[in-house]
Amino acid sequence: SKDPEFKQYKLPWLRPQIKVVHEAVMEELELIRTEQNQIEGKDVYEVSIPISFSGPKNILEIHVPSAEIIGKNQTLMQQELVFGKKVDSEIANYKEPYPDLYAAVAEKITELWFDQAFFKKGFFHADLHAGNMLMKVTDDRVQVNLLDFGMAGHLNQQQRDSVLLLALGIKLD
């Protein structure tokens, strides 16, 4: 700022940070990119994998709903209807019989995220948290629907190698 009173406090200039936040929000609102991310997310994250915890369930089924852009001006995104509850709510229903359910599911989803981001395609959901998931526990499986692919990214091979080298350096130190 050109304001001398403001300058005397030597505060950081916020315009660059505000610009980054603005660009991230605008990117998340781009429906065509979100649809493309969701299609790629379905290819990358949709799996059924074994899970082990104190209950009888033995399959974690991860699903990414199908999505498509619709409307005369391509201004709406229609997504497959999925069922489930917020993760915290569904976990609360099973806290007593399966106290380690949350940890087991979180660990498997985290492993999948890291595996895809760093060792396979380099694609990652950039806003993966419990609020972007719906969960349903059934007799024979735990189902998790991953939602909101408005923020996603790709790591090229050089970026993946650099992160892994950094992690290795930290581990050896």
Side-chain angles (χ1 to χ4, degrees), residues 45-46 49 70 80-81 86 113 120 139 145 162 166:
Y45 292 119
E46 189 148 319
I49 50 180
I70 61 170
E80 170 191 352
L81 178 63
K86 291 182 178 180
W113 188 95
K120 295 210 172 137
D139 288 340
N145 292 294
S162 295
L166 176 64

Side-chain angles (χ1 to χ4, degrees), residues 11-12 19 30 38-39 68 73 88 127 131 136 144 159:
L11 297 171
K19 183 179 179 189
E30 289 181 27
Q38 195 141 339
I39 290 167
E68 65 178 327
N73 297 320
D88 292 343
D127 194 24
K136 181 179 177 186
V144 175
Q159 291 167 325

